[in-house]
Amino acid sequence: MSQKILAINAGSSSLKFKLYDMPEEVVLVSGLVDRISHEDAVFTYKIGGHDDKHETVQPVKDHTAAVQLVIDALLGSGLIKDKSEIIGVGHRVSHGGRYYTKSVEIDDDVAEKIDELSVLSPLHNPVNLLGIQAFEKLLPDAKEVAVFDTSFHSTMPRKAFMYALPYKYYTEDGVRRYGFHGQSHQYIYGEATRLLGEQATSKLISCHLGNGASICAIKDGKSVNTSMGFTPLAGLVMGTRSGDVDPEVLPFLEEKHHLNSEDVRSMLNHDSGLKGLSDVSNDVRDVLDAESQGNDRAKLALEVYVHQIQEYIGSYTTDLEGLTTLVFTAGVGEHSAPIRQRVCERLGYLGVKIDDAKNQANEVEIEADDSRVKVMVIPTDEELIIARDTQKIVG
Ligand code: ADP
């Protein structure tokens, strides 16, 4: 029997949703409420199978108002006749800490733990919780499920997730690498394997290059290492996030410029990465444009960005003891042929060789005929993983 499941990805000022018919995995409606808490919030949605987008601009006070808008649109579309038809709501939740290695039905205890884990993911867990509370209020009959970014990485061996800090900070405070973007990396492995078979994807590196970015080494379907860490700040150069820096830089800057830890945290999360290096933009397209007009800082930013990706790929081939498949996904990975080309151009030593025409055309398989490694471009679908897990739990 088909069941209606909502997949929710709540950000600080946005709420993305997809309504699925499960287990058929048909998207009935997808949409976004953007600029929540502004007078000119934008609500867009699309009915599955139709090209036309509905768009309205209106004040949206908070996440509860955004959820009300979504529910009204679903009822208005005629795709559901009553709210009670939605049996489950799956929420992307950033941090599951040491508590959750799998998705879980949300009750008071789970909500408390998500709240408690806000110290580890201050930008995401609190807003994920706002989404959860809004649905609890407006869809009281639906069961809610938390699908954690961190769960997929719970298979990492301890040698990969431990930091070499005094051990008590691990046991008492949970300081370790957790990793994020789990739904995306899990989806990428599943899709690559569906297309190529398990043998061909036994040593896979998934490069999720969006505004946030992370790389994951996946051995026989299990995450064995990933570039984000205790928080989603670590690892690659991102749109506005720094990725890895020598930790000693932070007290140095704090002391020299009389900054407090909140100033430094904000600088690392919002003013660094491509934006900080280039002073152009956090968007790869803008930085590429500026570079083509001779902007050397844009060129530098892209050099560092690509170099960091190459370093991680190189190091993860050691975790995997080889490489069968390299996959690019998310905004940059799916759409930017020049970035994929630059990343791959120094990976010949691993047997990676791409076909320029296939790369330019964003084909699914972009490796050259004589490449020893499969190189793929796969659009990610985090919501589908959320919907699958939710249906498994509440269906
Ligand atoms: P998020 O991490 O916020 O989910 P996305 O995965 O949608 O974001 O990625 C957004 C980023 O993708 C943009 O900031 C932009 O840098 C990049 N992007 C999107 N399309 C292109 C493109 N055609 N070329 C280069 N970069 C692109």
Side-chain angles (χ1 to χ4, degrees), residues 98-232:
R98 284 186 294 189
Y99 298 126
Y100 302 110
T101 57
K102 283 197 197 95
S103 302
V104 60
E105 187 175 336
I106 301 169
D107 57 17
D108 289 347
D109 178 54
V110 173
E112 255 170 50
K113 296 251 173 21
I114 293 171
D115 189 30
E116 180 190 322
L117 290 164
S118 291
V119 286
L120 304 187
S121 191
L123 301 179
H124 297 103
N125 268 34
V127 294
N128 301 152
L129 202 51
L130 286 180
I132 291 167
Q133 287 159 346
F135 276 97
E136 202 169 59
K137 198 146 114 196
L138 297 175
L139 279 188
D141 295 335
K143 290 183 174 159
E144 297 196 85
V145 170
V147 181
F148 300 96
D149 268 54
T150 46
S151 300
F152 181 63
H153 304 296
S154 64
T155 49
M156 276 192 290
R158 64 183 187 177
K159 67 183 173 189
F161 73 64
M162 285 299 292
Y163 295 128
L165 294 171
Y167 192 71
K168 66 176 182 186
Y169 294 122
Y170 167 62
T171 50
E172 290 171 18
D173 301 309
V175 175
R176 48 160 282 182
R177 178 190 304 282
Y178 290 98
F180 296 85
H181 288 144
Q183 301 91 341
S184 178
H185 294 302
Q186 182 181 348
Y187 176 81
I188 291 305
Y189 172 77
E191 267 306 280
T193 303
R194 185 179 69 76
L195 295 166
L196 302 179
E198 275 180 13
Q199 193 67 32
T201 57
S202 60
K203 297 172 180 185
L204 182 145
I205 293 180
S206 165
C207 304
H208 178 112
L209 309 177
N211 225 335
S214 73
I215 295 203
C216 182
I218 303 174
K219 197 165 195 177
D220 298 317
K222 294 198 165 75
S223 169
V224 293
N225 208 348
T226 193
S227 58
M228 283 178 167
F230 179 59
T231 74

Side-chain angles (χ1 to χ4, degrees), residues 338-394:
I339 295 295
R340 292 192 300 259
Q341 186 257 326
R342 290 180 202 193
V343 168
C344 291
E345 97 196 334
R346 287 178 64 220
L347 303 181
Y349 75 102
L350 295 172
V352 171
K353 193 169 166 194
I354 58 172
D355 179 301
D356 284 340
K358 290 180 183 167
N359 184 40
Q360 289 297 335
N362 291 325
E363 286 189 16
V364 177
E365 287 184 41
I366 60 168
E367 74 278 355
D369 291 342
D370 56 346
S371 178
R372 291 203 305 277
V373 172
K374 290 278 183 193
V375 186
M376 306 180 82
V377 179
I378 300 179
T380 195
D381 194 344
E382 290 151 321
E383 288 82 11
L384 184 56
I385 295 291
I386 295 170
R388 283 178 185 164
D389 275 18
T390 303
Q391 201 227 351
K392 251 186 259 162
I393 290 172
V394 308

Side-chain angles (χ1 to χ4, degrees), residues 242-264:
S242 62
D244 297 336
V245 291
D246 178 346
E248 192 60 40
V249 169
L250 311 179
F252 170 80
L253 291 179
E254 280 183 19
E255 284 158 23
K256 179 133 195 282
H257 297 287
H258 310 292
L259 303 173
N260 61 35
S261 56
E262 200 40 59
D263 298 330
V264 171

Side-chain angles (χ1 to χ4, degrees), residues 245-286:
V245 291
D246 178 346
E248 192 60 40
V249 169
L250 311 179
F252 170 80
L253 291 179
E254 280 183 19
E255 284 158 23
K256 179 133 195 282
H257 297 287
H258 310 292
L259 303 173
N260 61 35
S261 56
E262 200 40 59
D263 298 330
V264 171
R265 179 176 291 136
S266 173
M267 179 270 286
L268 293 169
N269 277 289
H270 303 299
D271 301 323
S272 298
L274 285 174
K275 183 178 161 209
L277 266 174
S278 69
D279 265 331
V280 172
S281 166
N282 63 318
D283 190 314
V284 167
R285 288 167 289 198
D286 299 336

